[in-house]
Amino acid sequence: MGAIRPRNAALLVAASALCIALASLGSVDSVPYALFCAAFYPPLILNAVIDGRTQLLVRRWTHIAGVVALAHMFYPLVLQLFESRTTPSPNAIYEGLTRCCGLSLMINSCVLGVFTLLYLFTGGRAMGAGDLRLLWVLGIWHTPQSVQAFILAITFAVVGQGVFASVLWVRKRVGRKSRLPFGPALVIASIIVTFALPIIS
């Protein structure tokens, strides 16, 4: 994997501190969830910065966030199994797995299918393979708690990206065939849905 550059390490630490600070404002009502946020978002924030500079999402950081998202998905089931005084039956474990990831997999497959068609139709100009991986990870993170949050995050990202591209086009900073990184919009939208909306509401 290679050594982490000092600048990237500093960004990871700062992002973790930011997540903990946002959680302390009351947007996150659970200590375990706050810890998951502090582990999930720093790799994505670092990846968004890299994407904004190079138009490339690094797989390593997306995969690290994906592992955290999977741990967050299965955490309620594992906690339930540990708290249970009796040995769970295979049927109980199957039902728990279905509750944890059944809906998430279904929603993610639908969303990923739509954006895969967009990727194929535009030849990768609208979004790349790294954006598809990031979408899958965000789906795993959001859908176990709220499908609406995932859909809202995608909506914020698409609208925000459209507004940003329009402003750049009006200022003649980009042309019609220019490619803009989509990763930062996805990560920012996810952070807004996770931290800002609960504070506002």
Side-chain angles (χ1 to χ4, degrees), residues 74-159:
F74 290 111
Y75 172 75
L77 175 61
V78 174
L79 186 63
Q80 181 181 358
L81 293 178
F82 272 103
E83 292 179 347
S84 177
R85 296 183 179 180
T86 60
T87 303
S89 64
N91 288 336
I93 295 176
Y94 174 77
E95 291 177 359
L97 288 173
T98 303
R99 288 195 302 270
C100 284
C101 60
L103 181 61
S104 178
L105 290 175
M106 183 180 67
I107 297 298
N108 285 357
S109 298
C110 294
V111 172
L112 200 63
V114 171
F115 280 94
T116 299
L117 292 176
L118 177 64
Y119 168 73
L120 295 174
F121 180 75
T122 62
R125 291 190 300 272
M127 64 185 308
D131 298 319
L132 293 177
R133 284 191 294 270
L134 178 57
L135 270 173
W136 183 264
V137 169
L138 292 178
I140 294 175
W141 173 258
H142 283 293
T143 51
Q145 289 191 320
S146 172
V147 175
Q148 292 83 356
F150 182 42
I151 302 301
L152 194 60
I154 294 176
T155 303
F156 282 169
V158 172
V159 173

